């Protein structure tokens, strides 16, 4: 059926209900995974789900607007974009791997590259999910991308 075992709570429920008389736990989870889940849930509930969602939306809107100003077009339309990660197209003719490499080497900022299939080396991704991501972080990414664009236009990269 294509479902995994170790992190699939539906599988856990299925076995907990159908075989509870002799085998209530279908897997032995690594303790650190369970503790990490509990810690993440505590942080989420402390911040509040609506507040967390609003923070992600605010950060994503700031990032997306800045990307568009710089000429990096977001992959998804605003109406259907996920607020926890933004995928954007590289500048025309520039492999996205160069964007990723530049941000890390010149600014110490790690973003994700890639894309699969036809998007390979076409898009890069900026994650917003960490509780520590702030508007300043978004501004730093945008400033680094502006620096990249300036250097490309000046033929100073790669």
């Amino acid at each position: 059926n294509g479902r995994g075992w170790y992190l699939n709570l539906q599988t856990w429920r299925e076995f907990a209900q159908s075989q509870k008389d002799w085998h209530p736990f279908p897997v032995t989870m690594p303790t650190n995974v369970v503790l990490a889940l509990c810690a993440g849930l505590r942080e989420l509930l402390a911040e509040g789900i609506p507040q967390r969602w609003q923070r992600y939306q605010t950060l994503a809107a700031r990032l997306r607007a800045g990307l568009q100003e710089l000429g990096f077009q977001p992959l998804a339309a605003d109406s259907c974009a996920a607020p926890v990660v933004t995928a954007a197209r590289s500048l025309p003719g520039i492999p996205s791997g160069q964007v990723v490499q530049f941000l890390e080497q010149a600014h110490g900022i790690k973003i994700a590259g890639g894309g699969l299939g036809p998007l390979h080396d076409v898009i890069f991704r900026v994650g917003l999910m960490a509780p520590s991501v702030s508007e300043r972080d978004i501004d730093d990414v945008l400033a680094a991308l502006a620096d990249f664009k300036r250097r490309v236009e000046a033929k100073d990269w790669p």
Side-chain angles (χ1 to χ4, degrees), residues 79-139:
S79 61
C80 63
V84 294
V85 65
T86 296
R89 295 181 182 278
S90 184
L91 299 172
I94 306 294
S96 61
Q98 288 186 18
V99 177
V100 173
Q101 181 182 16
F102 176 82
L103 263 63
E104 185 171 13
Q105 289 179 355
H107 293 273
I109 296 173
K110 184 72 173 159
I111 62 172
L116 301 174
L119 295 176
H120 175 72
D121 228 9
V122 171
I123 65 168
F124 58 88
R125 294 167 288 142
V126 179
L128 306 170
M129 292 179 279
S132 60
V133 175
S134 68
E135 289 182 2
R136 179 179 173 138
D137 295 316
I138 299 305
D139 293 344

Side-chain angles (χ1 to χ4, degrees), residues 15-97:
F15 278 89
Q17 291 171 350
S18 69
Q19 299 180 20
K20 63 183 171 191
D21 57 332
W22 74 276
H23 195 272
F25 306 106
V27 298
T28 303
M29 285 294 297
T31 304
N32 63 320
V33 172
V34 176
L35 293 175
L37 174 62
C38 289
L41 290 172
R42 276 193 301 274
E43 288 177 7
L44 173 63
L45 294 174
E47 182 176 353
I49 294 172
Q51 292 81 1
R52 171 81 53 100
W53 190 252
Q54 182 59 50
R55 183 167 56 82
Y56 288 155
Q57 289 180 316
T58 299
L59 292 171
R62 185 182 195 101
L63 176 61
R64 293 173 66 78
L67 287 168
Q68 290 175 348
E69 278 183 39
L70 292 170
F72 296 92
Q73 294 303 311
L75 182 64
D78 289 346
S79 61
C80 63
V84 294
V85 65
T86 296
R89 295 181 182 278
S90 184
L91 299 172
I94 306 294
S96 61

